[in-house]
Amino acid sequence: MRTTTLRRAPVAAVTAGLLLSVAACTSPAADSGTDEPAGAETQNTQEADAPADDEPAAGDAENEPTEEAGAGQDAAGDVLGLVTVDDVQYEITELRNCEPLQQEMVERELELQGLGEHDGERIQIDVYIQELAGAPYNDVAWSGPEGVFGTQESADVTLDAGGTSVRGVATLQDALTQTETVTIDFDLPVPAETIACR
């Protein structure tokens, strides 16, 4: 009986030792190689993924305004000159110094187009300094909320000595019915370069 007991005791001791070894190998602390308790690795991972207090979250950068937004909007709305039609003032934002038309009996010195917008409607003034059959005949035309109007006789138009601006006053007649008139007053710069408007 004693012999049997002595043989079983070492087997039980070896079995217990193996179980302790297996338990030690599967312990989270043993896997990490540190003495940190179980769950410490999960907490460290969450802290690493969270953004620092002084760093914006990934989506915040998209909502922040940039200095480039709206750049270049001023150039589109520059007021270059003014036209007054029956006490209503209009802003001209585009000017074209057209290549003067040259044809028999017409000698044109200036052909200026002024464009703009008023309450969503296109406006346009055309100013001509010219001679017809050798006689001065300056012409002004207007298209705006009032309708389409033109001169019936030579308009009072003056081009400055340097050719850099033109001003004038004229009474224009309705181009359709020729029964209504408007008074137009303008002062516009003349671009240095001419372009082909036709």
Side-chain angles (χ1 to χ4, degrees):
M1 296 293 293
R2 290 180 180 177
T3 304
T4 304
T5 303
L6 289 174
R7 288 179 182 176
R8 289 181 180 177
V11 172
V14 170
T15 303
L18 288 174
L19 290 175
L20 289 174
S21 298
V22 170
C25 290
T26 58
S27 170
D31 289 343
S32 62
T34 64
D35 295 333
E36 294 181 3
E41 182 178 356
T42 303
Q43 182 178 355
N44 291 341
T45 303
Q46 292 174 350
E47 292 176 358
D49 293 340
D53 292 340
D54 57 347
E55 294 180 3
D60 293 346
E62 297 178 0
N63 298 327
E64 292 180 358
T66 61
E67 295 181 1
E68 296 179 2
Q73 293 180 349
D74 293 341
D78 286 346
V79 178
L80 303 177
L82 298 173
V83 175
T84 303
V85 180
D86 284 346
D87 299 326
V88 179
Q89 196 170 68
Y90 298 95
E91 297 177 345
I92 300 300
T93 56
E94 182 181 354
L95 287 164
R96 301 172 182 169
N97 186 2
C98 301
E99 295 175 354
L101 174 66
Q102 301 296 337
Q103 61 184 21
E104 187 177 359
M105 307 292 289
V106 177
E107 186 175 339
R108 189 167 291 169
E109 181 181 357
L110 175 70
E111 181 178 338
L112 182 70
Q113 291 181 356
L115 308 172
E117 187 176 298
H118 181 78
D119 291 339
E121 183 176 346
R122 175 189 170 104
I123 59 174
Q124 179 171 342
I125 182 172
D126 297 275
V127 180
Y128 305 91
I129 296 180
Q130 60 191 1
E131 288 186 357
L132 297 181
Y137 189 87
N138 300 328
D139 194 9
V140 178
W142 169 254
S143 176
E146 300 81 3
V148 179
F149 291 80
T151 50
Q152 294 299 306
E153 57 185 32
S154 183
D156 182 12
V157 180
T158 303
L159 183 66
D160 73 349
T164 59
S165 68
V166 63
R167 65 184 61 85
V169 178
T171 298
L172 308 184
Q173 195 171 48
D174 182 4
L176 294 178
T177 64
Q178 297 184 352
T179 58
E180 298 182 12
T181 61
V182 296
T183 300
I184 189 168
D185 188 346
F186 58 91
D187 189 350
L188 303 170
V190 177
E193 296 183 4
T194 60
I195 62 172
C197 296
R198 299 171 196 82

